[in-house]
Amino acid sequence: DPRVFMAGHSDESGASAPLAMSVKQLGLPSDAEVGKLEEYVHETLWAGASGRRSSFLQGADHSVRLSMLYWNDAMDKDPSGPARRALPALYDHCHKCWASCKKGRDCCYWMHCWSEEHSLETWRAYNYPHVTVGYWSLYRVARHISPPPTKRAGWRWYLEQAGRTAVAMHTFGGRGTSQWGLMVGSIFVAVLADLRREGLTALADELEAIKERRMRKWMSMLFPYGSEFPWDSTGHEEIHSWLLHDGKVADANKTVQAVLAYSTVVPHWAYCGSARRYWDFTINGKTQWGNEREFHHYGATLNAVAVLDSFRAFPERHYLLRLGACALLGHLSNIHPSGAYSMAWHGDPGLLRRDGFSGDYGPGVYGYWRSAAAYVACMPPFGWSCFLCDLAVEGEAGGGAASASAAKACDAGANLRVTPRDAFGRRAYLAPLGLTVTVEGGRLVEVELQPRGRRAVLRVAVHERARSSEASVFLEVERRDGRAPAPTSAYSCAYDEAAYPCSGRKAGAFVVPLRVGEPTRVILQASASGSAPAS
């Protein structure tokens, strides 16, 4: 394929495979896959002190090039050389337009046969979040899996690389593409939080200052969710994340309302939660039938980031949960029964099938990971409800099955037994407490919630392919309507029937031991000084 984005390791398509592999380690880690990801980072991505910029995607200054696939005069003038022998079809295609190029280079179609000089350009800010995710995911597994599955660098190096790549996004994107919302850009919010937690204050301050400059641009706009193209729908995810981070709730709501203008809840798997996308098959797909509707392209799960972040802040907006869950579940339909990932479903009535290329699927996987959780909320007239999970409502203090009327009334005295069914099993959002629980290093297999008692009991198991002796449990109160019953500081943590307190903190998380064969029971209890639980 002559398209520079397909095989060039950059942009949404070329960077998709390492991006998806990185995200997978954050929910379903594998020691073997972590090793392959490290091999990619140290032998393809990061040039480091070697200075061999032509052989790597990222230079020692942390800039990220446009593509690693290029054409030059030496290859074009050698019809029996290595390029011709390895890729005869590509040679014939590039030679056809390169040989007659009056300006000497870059005369082919805009996605084909770039010159080496063009491939080395670093101005496109959209290429930086994908690389940042790679470093940050390795930081997280190195920090929260014990012993660490990483072998080629420690957690601090990977976190610093993530932070410096985020800064380089603005250094090289400047007043151009970095002023807009970036696909996968919400990763910068997570990087900033971890830089603060780990005491890397200078780097955190630098990233915060960049955010402030970008924020001034967004706040000067009537609708602060701009993207690369005026018709695009990919800037909402990052901008909404930063707006909520900074407490600009009204402005964040503008972004959500824009998403609601083109994403709807309808009783159809293809349309429910699907973003309004039309043109990406032409750039990254295998079958190209013109300006065709795409179902559950990556725009769907990236838009769901804004939708579900907003729901967790205001959990009485039930419509947002329904829409976001549609987007997440629809995206999984891109996975072929063989396990191969497609970039999207073809919406043309003459096709109605998955595309044959993975294309730019990576940002979609990131969007799914970013929002995937077991969501528990009170949703009249249905009562206690669970999205991306199974729910059993039991009588008060575990005294058997609750009555149907009590379940529908959302009795705060009931026990809610939750079994996560999302693809990762690492997070639960408990709307009665306004609390998000995230587990790193282990797998969340069950949550028992007692709303009136402000108590949650987790069962955390060992990952099968990346066994850790401990897990980190992060707590975050995301509810912003003033009805969260207690801040995170009010929660205590113990394990094994509350016999042992959790062993201190690691990067802001409670640490609990894990054992093979039997999940660890972790008890989270808010102190009595908190306010009354919300419904």
Side-chain angles (χ1 to χ4, degrees), residues 113-157:
C113 310
W114 283 359
S115 66
E116 185 173 7
E117 292 83 359
H118 188 17
S119 78
L120 285 167
E121 293 173 10
T122 59
W123 55 268
R124 184 170 168 79
Y126 294 87
N127 294 333
Y128 290 76
H130 311 79
V131 174
T132 302
V133 170
Y135 289 127
W136 185 77
S137 68
L138 288 170
Y139 152 71
R140 294 287 279 199
V141 299
R143 188 69 162 119
H144 298 291
I145 295 178
S146 183
T150 52
K151 306 300 181 186
R152 302 185 67 161
W155 65 261
R156 185 183 182 94
W157 186 86

Side-chain angles (χ1 to χ4, degrees), residues 4 37 40 89 115 178 195 226 230 301 310 314 319 335 360 394 397 444 486:
V4 293
L37 190 57
Y40 162 76
S115 66
S178 71
L195 290 172
T301 59
S310 184
F314 301 97
Y319 182 89
I335 303 175
D360 50 7
E394 302 172 345
L444 188 60

Side-chain angles (χ1 to χ4, degrees), residues 23 71 106 139 144 154 195 280 309 403 412 465-467 470 473 485:
V23 169
W71 202 248
D106 296 321
Y139 152 71
H144 298 291
L195 290 172
D280 296 272
D309 280 8
S403 68
R465 298 184 178 181
R467 295 185 174 183
E470 62 185 31
V473 179

